Amino acid sequence: MNLAVEPITVTRTAAGSYVSGRWIAGDPTNYDAAGNIQPLSGTDLQKLPEGDREHAQLKIYTAFALQNGDVVTRASGLRFEAQAVSDWTAFSLPHFKAILMRIEEQ
């Protein structure tokens, strides 16, 4: 089975740490990747907290594991935060699924 995928950029921020009592945020790293992005189903929408249902959400299927908090940027420039990552590698077509929540630009 071959699903249509689109190019994405994944930005993952390394863990921060305290240096001399001050918090120093980790450095972001960008990865070029591909994923199958689809609208959420009604069941997926019902699993979201009520306050998040009014934001733009999508779901993505990838061959690699996203982490909660990763920022996924589509070719159009729209940015989304990965949430609720689930592992489906135990099945016949190994993949990962994540909910993407739109990051509103200010």
Side-chain angles (χ1 to χ4, degrees), residues 20-43:
S20 300
R22 300 185 94 161
W23 177 256
I24 305 297
D27 294 326
T29 304
N30 291 332
Y31 302 95
D32 290 327
N36 178 268
I37 299 176
Q38 301 176 10
L40 290 181
S41 67
T43 304

Side-chain angles (χ1 to χ4, degrees), residues 37-50:
I37 299 176
Q38 301 176 10
L40 290 181
S41 67
T43 304
D44 291 330
L45 283 170
Q46 288 179 342
K47 292 178 184 177
L48 292 174
E50 287 185 27

Side-chain angles (χ1 to χ4, degrees), residues 4-5 11 14 16-17 19-21 28-30 36 40 47 50 57 61 65-67 74 90 92 94 98-99:
V5 296
T11 304
S17 63
V19 176
S20 300
T29 304
N30 291 332
N36 178 268
L40 290 181
K47 292 178 184 177
E50 287 185 27
Q57 307 98 3
Y61 294 96
L66 288 170
Q67 295 179 358
R74 297 180 79 173
S92 62
I99 303 296

Side-chain angles (χ1 to χ4, degrees), residues 88-103:
W88 293 86
T89 57
F91 299 94
S92 62
L93 181 61
H95 63 281
F96 297 87
K97 175 185 173 185
I99 303 296
L100 298 178
M101 185 74 60
R102 172 95 184 266
I103 298 173

